[in-house]
Amino acid sequence: MRTFSHRFRVKASLNQVTAFHSDTRALKMLTPPPMIVSFNNVEPLSEGSLSDFTIWLGPIPIRWVAEHQDIHQCGFRDIQVRGPFQVWEHTHTFTPLTENYTEVLDEIQGEPSRHLFQGILSRFMWLNLPFLFGYRAWRTKRALE
């Protein structure tokens, strides 16, 4: 199993960070160009809720369905139930540092698909996680600070 983690601090309260990540529009905002996200069905963040969307990597559509689990004030998990990975579990953890600063930690456990095309695609996506989460940190700070 592969692991990836990324952390950053944002000048925002825990409540602001939690509300931002609970907003169904956040995923689109946190997706860097040239990726385009089309939402098929995104349920409000709650235990067992699903986010069903298509990520376009240029002309390539990638259907992704994630189930949300362990929802609480300090984070949540999303587990891929359909997508390019054999296994994908993303844990979001929000830790208040002060009243006005929060640390955001993203931890991912993943396994590329065993299928040829999906395997190539999931490995490519994994290699781009540092860029993706660097962009997400920048956009989160820009939105909240």
Side-chain angles (χ1 to χ4, degrees):
M1 187 79 63
R2 297 176 186 205
T3 60
F4 172 83
S5 66
H6 183 269
R7 73 177 66 227
F8 67 95
R9 294 177 180 181
V10 60
K11 186 178 179 181
S13 69
L14 174 62
N15 287 339
Q16 290 171 302
V17 172
T18 301
F20 176 75
H21 283 85
S22 296
D23 189 330
T24 56
R25 298 171 296 182
L27 182 60
K28 188 164 191 156
M29 183 185 302
L30 296 174
T31 303
M35 293 170 50
I36 298 169
V37 178
S38 302
F39 295 100
N40 305 313
N41 184 38
V42 178
E43 299 171 350
L45 186 65
S46 64
E47 196 67 32
S49 66
L50 297 176
S51 289
D52 179 352
F53 52 93
T54 302
I55 300 171
W56 292 86
L57 290 178
I60 303 169
I62 303 162
R63 184 81 178 266
W64 196 300
V65 179
E67 179 180 343
H68 300 104
Q69 299 178 356
D70 302 325
I71 312 296
H72 50 84
Q73 175 75 19
C74 293
F76 62 96
R77 289 187 311 142
D78 58 78
I79 311 255
Q80 175 199 278
V81 294
R82 178 180 176 185
F85 286 85
Q86 186 72 27
V87 174
W88 174 275
E89 183 174 315
H90 178 186
T91 303
H92 309 251
T93 305
F94 315 134
T95 305
L97 302 174
T98 67
E99 187 175 310
N100 297 315
Y101 279 90
T102 303
E103 181 178 78
V104 176
L105 172 62
D106 290 287
E107 297 175 295
I108 299 169
Q109 292 186 323
E111 192 63 44
S113 176
R114 294 185 183 116
H115 300 285
L116 180 61
F117 179 71
Q118 297 264 6
I120 292 168
L121 189 58
S122 57
R123 283 173 177 80
F124 172 77
M125 292 175 78
W126 190 269
L127 290 173
N128 283 285
L129 289 179
F131 168 74
L132 174 65
F133 283 90
Y135 180 85
R136 286 181 168 194
W138 175 76
R139 286 294 287 160
T140 300
K141 288 179 182 184
R142 193 161 172 196
L144 295 178
E145 292 184 354

